[in-house]
Amino acid sequence: MNEYDSNRIRNALDAEATDNPAEADIIIINTCAIRDKADQKAFSSLGKYKHLKSNNPGLIVGISGCVAQLYGEKLLERMPYLDFVLGPRAIPRLPELIKTIENEKQRTVETSYDIEELFDIEPYHSPGKVTAFVSVQQGCNKRCSYCIVPRVRGDEINRPLGDILRETRNLVDKGVREVTFIGQTVNSWKENGYKFGDLLRAAANVENLERIRFTTSYPRDITSRMIEAVRDVPKVCRHIHLPVQSGSNAVLGKMKRTYTREWYSDIVKRLRDAAPDMAVSTDIIVGYPGETERDFEDTMSLLEEIQFDSAFSFKFSPRPGTTAAACPAEETVDEETSGRRLSLLQTFQRDVTMRKNRARVGQVEEVLAEGPSKNDPGILTGRTSHNRITHFRGAGTLSGRVLRVRITEGLFNSLRGELSV
Ligand code: SF4
């Protein structure tokens, strides 16, 4: 979502981007507030640009994204060299805001949620890139007890179907062959009686679009209509990212995730029955307040049962204003326990991922070639339908084509292969 927003910011400004901060007229740090570490990183990045202001007083420095929304006005007080604070929903207002700063020399905060032109600014698309994100939704209507997203991104607003398809067609005209629909709970998308499954079917009709992905799915919002679309539409990739967060019903209840582990397992089963080769990845939080050893064992047993293709796992990080952050001190899981649990979980998952990747050796996979690898121009990089990064020898002119690749090696983060005839 942040990558998408950064590219929208670039388009909103209609300016050339530079990698050299010393030659920039405007510097914007687009931030994430999902974890404490991410927001600390945003502050230290901002600090790095302070000295540039003394050499170039005309330089405009701004902060955007979720940290901007979360702290608003306070950021201007804390950082005298900061010119503006821009919330994630207010990106379409950026050009206006820059004008105000230039003409009136006024420091500004724009964090309103109420932006009519919410989806008006589409992202910058790098020439030659064959994959792209398309936002179908902003905000979230769920209220998971640990999550700051609804507070910083507001309630869910779904983008009209016609708009999504128009952006998809424009991207295909620019050479894009794979789109990823993004939303905080992407599969809760609905508009005028259309549901997410209908969106997948409608997008599949876009000519010359080869593949459709979507992220992030919310387990409770998976419907039969969606499963049928995933089953029936060959352009829909065989991968779903489906955060479970915990395998303990007690913890899931405290997290307000609105499903049980049995319910989650059943959804995964239904998806795999419909699309037998479906890859499933997930997110897990360990050390949630009150998580006992037994709760953690439940999470481990769920991992064993589901056999995820990959998992992103994190230690619980309290975020300001969330219910989880206000839990009684005695429920806090200490750092050492969280660290031990995280390490056990990651070691277990590493083995499962390795085993699954090695099991692909000898198979022929369809890989969308995305372009030459950064380290070796003779090697192409792409992804299988199951979202595995794959490297293989081939000419750069093959970029944008779905190729048959025989897998020769399975590593933890990627596969290696060779073009197959
Ligand atoms: S569904 Fe996701 S974005 Fe929404 S509140 Fe829960 S964790 Fe946050």
Side-chain angles (χ1 to χ4, degrees), residues 187 189 214 228 418:
N187 56 324
W189 178 90
F214 51 89
E228 282 157 19
E418 57 196 16

Side-chain angles (χ1 to χ4, degrees), residues 73-249:
E73 189 82 39
K74 284 191 205 137
L75 293 169
L76 290 189
E77 289 158 25
R78 182 170 164 179
M79 287 174 257
Y81 52 92
L82 193 62
D83 296 291
F84 71 87
V85 176
L86 178 79
R89 284 213 175 177
I91 291 171
R93 301 247 166 105
L94 181 59
E96 226 175 284
L97 194 133
I98 297 284
K99 262 190 217 141
T100 315
I101 299 168
E102 282 174 339
N103 300 339
E104 295 165 32
K105 308 280 172 252
Q106 204 183 321
R107 302 169 79 209
T108 317
V109 176
E110 173 54 277
T111 48
S112 43
Y113 292 113
D114 214 6
I115 306 283
E116 254 178 50
E117 62 279 31
L118 189 59
F119 294 106
D120 276 10
I121 305 279
E122 290 180 1
Y124 169 81
H125 181 74
S126 309
K129 201 160 183 275
V130 299
T131 60
F133 292 124
V134 175
S135 168
V136 305
Q137 182 186 67
Q138 289 270 352
C140 180
N141 279 352
K142 310 290 188 283
R143 293 294 179 262
C144 304
S145 60
Y146 53 84
C147 182
I148 201 164
V149 168
R151 180 165 161 209
V152 288
R153 287 194 175 259
D155 282 339
E156 176 184 306
I157 298 185
N158 290 302
R159 188 177 185 187
L161 177 66
D163 244 36
I164 300 170
L165 296 179
R166 188 186 35 74
E167 184 176 345
T168 304
R169 275 190 220 102
N170 286 346
L171 287 164
V172 170
D173 289 345
K174 288 178 187 164
V176 165
R177 293 293 169 261
E178 174 188 297
V179 290
T180 302
F181 291 143
I182 54 170
Q184 303 297 341
T185 55
V186 71
N187 56 324
S188 68
W189 178 90
K190 54 184 170 306
E191 195 238 346
N192 260 337
Y194 295 115
K195 296 282 180 61
F196 187 67
D198 306 317
L199 169 61
L200 294 177
R201 287 180 193 272
N205 290 329
V206 172
E207 220 180 307
N208 295 326
L209 177 68
E210 297 273 2
R211 285 176 164 187
I212 303 162
R213 296 185 190 275
F214 51 89
T215 199
T216 293
S217 295
Y218 186 75
R220 192 83 206 185
D221 290 332
I222 291 189
T223 59
S224 304
R225 208 149 143 188
M226 174 183 166
I227 295 177
E228 282 157 19
V230 170
R231 180 194 64 198
D232 299 344
V233 182
K235 286 185 184 181
V236 174
C237 288
R238 292 292 179 254
H239 169 242
I240 189 164
H241 185 65
L242 197 60
V244 64
Q245 307 300 4
S246 172
S248 150
N249 283 339

Side-chain angles (χ1 to χ4, degrees), residues 20-53:
N20 179 5
E23 65 178 28
D25 300 306
I26 306 173
I27 294 178
I28 303 174
I29 308 287
N30 190 32
T31 59
C32 171
I34 199 90
R35 311 192 71 242
D36 184 44
K37 242 191 206 161
D39 84 29
Q40 290 313 321
K41 209 165 141 191
F43 294 132
S44 69
S45 303
L46 264 174
K48 275 193 251 160
Y49 302 119
K50 195 165 133 185
H51 71 282
L52 294 175
K53 266 230 121 130

Side-chain angles (χ1 to χ4, degrees), residues 7 24 55 62 138 165 218 229 254 278 319 344 352 365 390 395 417:
N7 283 322
N55 305 336
Q138 289 270 352
L165 296 179
Y218 186 75
K254 287 184 193 163
M278 190 84 174
R319 307 309 295 127
L344 280 170
V352 177
E365 300 271 355
T390 307

Side-chain angles (χ1 to χ4, degrees), residues 185-383:
T185 55
V186 71
N187 56 324
S188 68
W189 178 90
K190 54 184 170 306
E191 195 238 346
N192 260 337
Y194 295 115
K195 296 282 180 61
F196 187 67
D198 306 317
L199 169 61
L200 294 177
R201 287 180 193 272
N205 290 329
V206 172
E207 220 180 307
N208 295 326
L209 177 68
E210 297 273 2
R211 285 176 164 187
I212 303 162
R213 296 185 190 275
F214 51 89
T215 199
T216 293
S217 295
Y218 186 75
R220 192 83 206 185
D221 290 332
I222 291 189
T223 59
S224 304
R225 208 149 143 188
M226 174 183 166
I227 295 177
E228 282 157 19
V230 170
R231 180 194 64 198
D232 299 344
V233 182
K235 286 185 184 181
V236 174
C237 288
R238 292 292 179 254
H239 169 242
I240 189 164
H241 185 65
L242 197 60
V244 64
Q245 307 300 4
S246 172
S248 150
N249 283 339
V251 175
L252 287 171
K254 287 184 193 163
M255 287 176 165
K256 305 236 174 313
R257 287 294 287 180
T258 72
Y259 52 83
T260 59
R261 71 174 276 158
E262 292 76 19
W263 200 91
Y264 182 93
S265 298
D266 186 55
I267 278 293
V268 171
K269 186 178 175 305
R270 286 176 60 199
L271 281 160
R272 284 178 170 160
D273 285 348
D277 201 16
M278 190 84 174
V280 183
S281 58
T282 198
D283 294 337
I284 311 259
I285 296 172
V286 298
Y288 185 84
E291 183 191 71
T292 62
E293 213 49 43
R294 177 70 209 269
D295 293 324
F296 175 66
E297 279 163 19
D298 284 348
T299 298
M300 293 297 285
S301 75
L302 184 77
L303 255 67
E304 192 159 357
E305 177 193 329
I306 303 273
Q307 299 281 305
F308 290 106
D309 292 75
S310 61
F312 299 91
S313 43
F314 308 92
K315 281 192 246 174
F316 168 72
S317 167
R319 307 309 295 127
T322 60
T323 6
C327 73
E330 63 273 17
E331 295 213 343
T332 307
V333 177
D334 63 78
E335 270 297 303
E336 200 200 318
T337 308
S338 297
R340 178 179 50 78
R341 289 178 186 168
L342 188 65
S343 151
L344 280 170
L345 190 148
Q346 290 181 339
T347 306
F348 177 85
Q349 183 56 45
R350 197 184 165 84
D351 287 349
V352 177
T353 301
M354 279 299 305
R355 191 163 25 77
K356 289 202 164 207
N357 285 353
R358 284 183 184 145
R360 299 258 165 208
V361 173
Q363 293 186 23
V364 174
E365 300 271 355
E366 294 207 326
V367 176
L368 172 66
E370 293 179 19
S373 127
K374 278 184 202 132
N375 306 327
D376 180 349
I379 299 287
L380 282 173
T381 296
R383 273 182 301 161

